[in-house]
Amino acid sequence: MTDTSSIADWQALAAKEVKGKDLDWHTPEGIVVKPLYTADDVADLDPGLPGFAPFTRGVRASMYAGRPWTIRQYAGFSTAEESNAFYRRNLAAGQKGLSVAFDLATHRGYDSDHPRVTGDVGKAGVAIDTIDDMKILFDGIPLDKMSVSMTMNGAVIPILAFFIVAGEEQGVAQAELDGTIQNDILKEFMVRNTYIYPPEPSMRIISDIFGYTSRNMPKFNSISISGYHMQEAGATQLQELAFTIADGAEYVRYGVASGLDIDKFAGRLSFFFAIGMNFFMEIAKLRAARVLWHRVMTNLGAKDERSKMLRTHCQTSGVSLTEQDPYNNVMRTTIEAMAAMLGGTQSLHTNALDEAIALPTDFSARIARNTQIVIQEETGMTKVVDPLGGSYYIEALTQELVDKAWEIIERIEREGGMAKAVAAGWPKAMIEEAAAARQARVDRGEDVIVGVNKYRLANEDLLETLEVDNEKVRQGQIARIAKVKAERDAAACEAALQALRDGAARPASIDNNLLALAVDAARARATLGEISSAMEESFNRYGTQPTPVKGVYAAPYEGDSRWQQVLDGVKAVERRMGRKPKLLVAKMGQDGHDRGANVIASAFGDMGFDVVSGPLFQTPEETVVLALESGVDVVGASSLAAGHKTLIPELIGKLRERGRTDIKVIAGGVIPPQDYDYLRDAGVQGIYGPGSNVVECAADVLRLLGHNMPPLEEAA
């Protein structure tokens, strides 16, 4: 035990040095972090040893001293040919596993020729419409030797079926296929929104994949339970931790309910966490996750220790990347990669410096990949197992996260499990409240982002970014779809699709497995859209209406002079118009990432605007109809997935066709600065990229509505 008088001496000395200032840090997780930790804080804690339950210090006894983590790069863009060439270059340069990013049309179960996806094809990942696309994607990459991770949830059945058949046609048996499919639909209903079907049939799909892979693909991980997208949507690390573990528990229950032995499939479940800039919190989060999963699986009846062992992939944060002063992103990614490594990840993707605004170039991807190689080869970090184990701070923080996350998990259990909690909507609401609160702290400068709200450059140089010719890719995909359909046995394909329709309409069983039926359809050259539609006939397509939180953004601004100026400006416009100024926040295309749209809707609502939150996945035509029916003054188009140059000009054109040039169109989100002039020429009147201060965005909108809003410097 530490001598208490020595602690008192330290407290007195520290207080004198900082003149009585409170040094405690109150984190967004609700954890009070002290400025000093001692042996007293960990006196009752025993983290054990690596490789032994509850695996706090790592899932393998030797960890990286025996073998370092797998270096992955999450990548995919435009065509299968382009993506294949990118993969092969990266593998030659030291990458050890593949991680495939699909475009949004593919995620949402649409073929590239569908009218709803004109702006999405090939823009944020690779377009996969047919088995031919999948075969090209892995051309020259032996699937019996390469571990392949695929981030797919909505269209998981056709994508996994294509992967299986691509392996077969390479001469690789299903039993030899190695890798992971994300297959995490609960997270989609909470934050990412690339779902297709309602929750109940979506959970049936997961169970069918568990069953099929457990019988036929012993080396393949049938689910990657993802907290990554929760943190990217604004969740605190505590929320990400608790909800991810609870999702995993729910999937295990569904697997058991479908007749599977828990110890036959649980050992091949994996996890996926985001790693942000709160360095020690992220290290502690991964350690806490292993403790919690061991506890959950023990409670669920697992006997095999492998079933209780949480293995995880990690990816450095996309949200922490900045458009402004982007070379700072290299340092951010390095810090986050070190946190993932010190936390004990099994594989890692490092984001490229330009991913705040575009897909990575070869130049930026090489820096991101080499970040991991340098850590592995040059630093000596891999020589010691769990090098921060025993740290007073790390051990205390790990236990704090375990205890606080367990409280949330117990609430979920009391209310009937994560599926019911997701249906009730409170996890999503918690995350959206955390996102709005974070944005307010950034806008007020309470959370510092170097180069954005502090140490800002006077002038920003444009960063060279990768751009995909969406129309060229789409036309190429349409031609390939037509070729596949012309050359296939149409009767055999239709018979396979009808068997899938019939299977979706009947209860699940060993003899009525949707993935098995989809594999038959893939062999018959059915397209991804056809396979998805066959199930949609029974399951229907799911949609939700955003409901932004209220009051969270406004709370920190009480007494702020600039905030008051904006409130007064909104009231002045209201007096002149006879009603509140009205904003439609529109999400066009198949991009389901709605953090930015929800934050804007919440903040503008708190500032007094009348806000209409449009449903996800609208076409420009549907957005125009909603704008006219709602009587809005401004349409704010939120873009994240590079469809802005197609969808926003189409929206403006359709407003003009109806004679409504009076409705202002503004744009925000991930838009490269070099596209600003293109959008302005198309008629966009305000553009607000990553890092924009939301209060100043509102002030600018008031100017567009004719209010003489004073500039920022007059707010003091």
Side-chain angles (χ1 to χ4, degrees):
M1 295 290 287
T2 304
D3 187 292
T4 54
S5 63
S6 65
I7 293 176
D9 289 343
W10 174 85
Q11 290 172 331
L13 181 59
K16 181 179 179 181
E17 289 174 350
V18 299
K19 297 180 174 60
K21 177 184 175 183
D22 182 9
L23 293 178
D24 286 349
W25 173 28
H26 297 258
T27 76
E29 289 78 17
I31 294 173
V32 179
V33 174
K34 302 184 299 181
L36 177 69
Y37 285 79
T38 69
D40 289 349
D41 295 293
V42 297
D44 299 325
L45 302 180
D46 178 10
L49 292 171
F52 292 90
F55 307 108
T56 313
R57 304 193 63 190
V59 295
R60 295 168 58 234
S62 60
M63 285 303 290
Y64 310 139
R67 178 169 61 88
W69 66 91
T70 300
I71 298 172
R72 294 187 185 275
Q73 288 298 99
Y74 177 55
F77 50 90
S78 69
T79 64
E81 290 90 345
E82 289 288 335
S83 297
N84 173 262
F86 185 81
Y87 295 156
R88 291 168 74 164
R89 290 195 299 271
N90 283 5
L91 291 170
Q95 184 176 315
K96 300 301 183 185
L98 293 181
S99 189
V100 182
F102 299 96
D103 75 356
L104 290 167
T106 303
H107 273 288
R108 295 268 295 145
Y110 293 117
D111 285 337
S112 295
D113 58 0
H114 197 285
R116 299 195 74 87
V117 300
T118 55
D120 297 301
V121 176
K123 293 296 283 188
V126 60
I128 298 293
D129 296 308
T130 67
I131 179 60
D132 284 13
D133 290 329
M134 190 68 83
K135 289 175 67 177
I136 293 167
L137 188 67
F138 296 115
D139 182 44
I141 299 172
L143 293 178
D144 56 342
K145 296 181 175 64
M146 181 59 59
S147 172
V148 177
S149 173
M150 293 179 287
T151 301
M152 177 53 65
N153 302 282
V156 63
I157 286 286
I159 284 295
L160 191 48
F162 286 171
F163 178 70
I164 290 167
V165 176
E168 287 178 355
E169 297 188 7
Q170 251 194 29
V172 179
Q174 293 184 28
E176 294 303 310
L177 293 173
D178 186 8
T180 303
I181 190 82
Q182 192 165 96
N183 194 26
D184 177 5
I185 204 63
L186 289 175
K187 167 263 301 177
E188 298 295 330
F189 292 118
M190 269 196 287
V191 290
R192 189 163 175 255
N193 300 312
T194 51
Y195 43 69
I196 300 176
Y197 314 111
E200 187 173 347
S202 296
M203 293 299 287
R204 180 217 166 150
I205 285 171
I206 289 172
S207 295
D208 278 9
I209 290 172
F210 284 176
Y212 186 96
T213 55
S214 67
R215 288 187 291 271
N216 301 293
M217 303 168 70
K219 296 170 63 176
F220 197 80
N221 297 314
S222 51
I223 193 167
S224 175
I225 303 148
S226 175
Y228 181 87
H229 301 97
M230 297 181 201
Q231 189 179 139
E232 294 291 278
T236 66
Q237 278 92 335
L238 174 63
Q239 291 167 351
E240 177 194 10
L241 173 62
F243 294 146
T244 304
I245 296 297
D247 278 352
E250 191 80 342
Y251 294 135
V252 170
R253 287 195 192 91
Y254 268 81
V256 171
S258 70
L260 296 173
D261 182 330
I262 189 170
D263 286 315
K264 295 294 185 184
F265 74 92
R268 290 183 296 107
L269 310 185
S270 68
F271 286 77
F272 174 27
F273 286 103
I275 303 294
M277 286 296 289
N278 191 344
F279 185 75
F280 292 106
M281 189 73 75
E282 293 291 9
I283 296 167
K285 181 185 76 182
L286 296 184
R287 300 170 98 251
R290 292 191 287 271
V291 175
L292 289 165
W293 188 240
H294 187 273
R295 184 184 299 177
V296 163
M297 293 303 289
T298 299
N299 292 347
L300 288 173
K303 304 299 182 187
D304 188 337
E305 286 299 298
R306 179 174 165 78
S307 299
K308 308 175 188 180
M309 183 188 295
L310 182 144
R311 295 160 301 110
T312 190
H313 170 71
C314 289
Q315 181 174 338
T316 60
S317 174
V319 167
S320 72
L321 302 177
T322 65
E323 173 189 307
Q324 297 80 7
D325 209 357
Y327 290 103
N328 289 338
N329 294 333
V330 177
M331 286 81 85
R332 293 187 177 101
T333 294
T334 302
I335 290 165
E336 291 167 351
M338 289 171 60
M341 171 265 166
L342 291 167
T345 189
Q346 277 62 68
S347 67
L348 177 63
H349 165 84
T350 34
N351 285 328
L353 65 95
D354 47 2
E355 288 189 68
I357 52 175
L359 291 167
T361 61
D362 278 4
F363 169 79
S364 65
R366 181 173 183 270
I367 294 171
R369 181 184 60 253
N370 284 357
T371 299
Q372 296 192 53
I373 295 174
V374 168
I375 292 173
Q376 286 190 358
E377 300 288 353
E378 297 187 23
T379 65
M381 287 184 177
T382 61
K383 306 302 184 185
V384 175
V385 179
D386 189 27
L388 291 184
S391 157
Y392 300 147
Y393 178 31
I394 286 293
E395 299 298 354
L397 193 56
T398 298
Q399 189 60 43
E400 187 97 29
L401 282 170
V402 167
D403 293 342
K404 286 187 175 294
W406 192 248
E407 290 175 7
I408 297 174
I409 293 168
E410 285 186 316
R411 175 188 173 184
I412 292 166
E413 295 300 301
R414 288 194 302 271
E415 297 183 14
M418 199 60 188
K420 290 185 178 178
V422 168
W426 64 264
K428 182 177 180 68
M430 282 180 67
I431 292 171
E432 290 181 1
E433 287 175 9
R438 161 69 171 168
Q439 186 63 48
R441 292 195 305 273
V442 170
D443 286 348
R444 288 175 55 79
E446 295 165 1
D447 286 5
V448 172
I449 302 178
V450 174
V452 176
N453 62 4
K454 197 172 183 179
Y455 312 109
R456 183 83 182 249
L457 287 173
N459 297 293
E460 297 275 355
D461 294 329
L462 289 180
L463 190 68
E464 183 180 343
T465 56
L466 178 70
E467 183 170 1
V468 172
D469 185 339
N470 162 243
E471 183 58 25
K472 180 181 177 181
V473 174
R474 186 166 182 266
Q475 291 306 318
Q477 290 299 120
I478 290 171
R480 184 172 291 152
I481 292 169
K483 182 174 184 293
V484 167
K485 288 183 176 180
E487 294 176 353
R488 71 191 182 188
D489 183 332
C493 182
E494 177 52 37
L497 288 171
Q498 187 57 52
L500 181 58
R501 292 187 196 100
D502 294 343
R506 299 195 308 270
S509 68
I510 292 178
D511 298 323
N512 184 38
N513 183 286
L514 294 176
L515 179 54
L517 294 167
V519 168
D520 290 339
R523 290 176 181 135
R525 268 35 192 183
T527 70
L528 175 134
E530 289 171 331
I531 293 172
S532 297
S533 294
M535 294 184 290
E536 187 178 339
E537 290 184 24
S538 291
F539 296 161
N540 298 317
R541 186 169 280 267
Y542 184 73
T544 57
Q545 183 71 33
T547 52
V549 298
K550 297 179 180 179
V552 175
Y553 191 90
Y557 276 95
E558 186 175 355
D560 183 274
S561 58
R562 186 57 167 173
W563 176 262
Q564 190 58 51
Q565 280 187 342
V566 172
L567 296 185
D568 292 343
V570 173
K571 290 177 181 176
V573 172
E574 182 179 357
R575 287 193 297 271
R576 174 166 55 82
M577 299 175 67
R579 57 173 176 78
K580 292 182 177 182
K582 200 165 193 177
L583 168 71
L584 167 61
V585 179
K587 284 290 294 182
M588 296 182 291
Q590 299 305 306
D591 172 27
H593 295 85
D594 59 355
R595 172 182 180 157
N598 289 336
V599 165
I600 291 296
S602 297
F604 273 65
D606 285 356
M607 286 182 272
F609 284 79
D610 187 356
V611 178
V612 178
S613 287
L616 299 175
F617 314 124
Q618 286 200 307
T619 64
E621 173 67 27
E622 290 166 342
T623 300
V624 168
V625 170
L626 180 58
L628 299 181
E629 289 177 348
S630 303
V632 302
D633 307 296
V634 182
V635 177
S638 174
S639 177
L640 184 79
H644 52 273
K645 291 177 71 174
T646 302
L647 299 170
I648 297 175
E650 185 178 343
L651 166 72
I652 293 170
K654 291 185 179 298
L655 284 171
R656 287 173 178 163
E657 289 172 5
R658 288 165 171 78
R660 294 305 306 272
T661 55
D662 58 305
I663 296 178
K664 317 295 184 186
V665 175
I666 61 176
V670 179
I671 301 174
Q674 47 266 55
D675 291 350
Y676 285 13
D677 286 343
Y678 178 91
L679 293 176
R680 290 188 182 109
D681 291 344
V684 176
Q685 297 188 48
I687 304 173
Y688 313 103
S692 297
N693 183 295
V694 177
V695 176
E696 292 309 309
C697 294
D700 197 51
V701 170
L702 290 174
R703 293 187 195 99
L704 292 176
L705 295 175
H707 180 67
N708 187 23
M709 190 71 199
L712 177 60
E713 56 267 21
E714 296 180 21

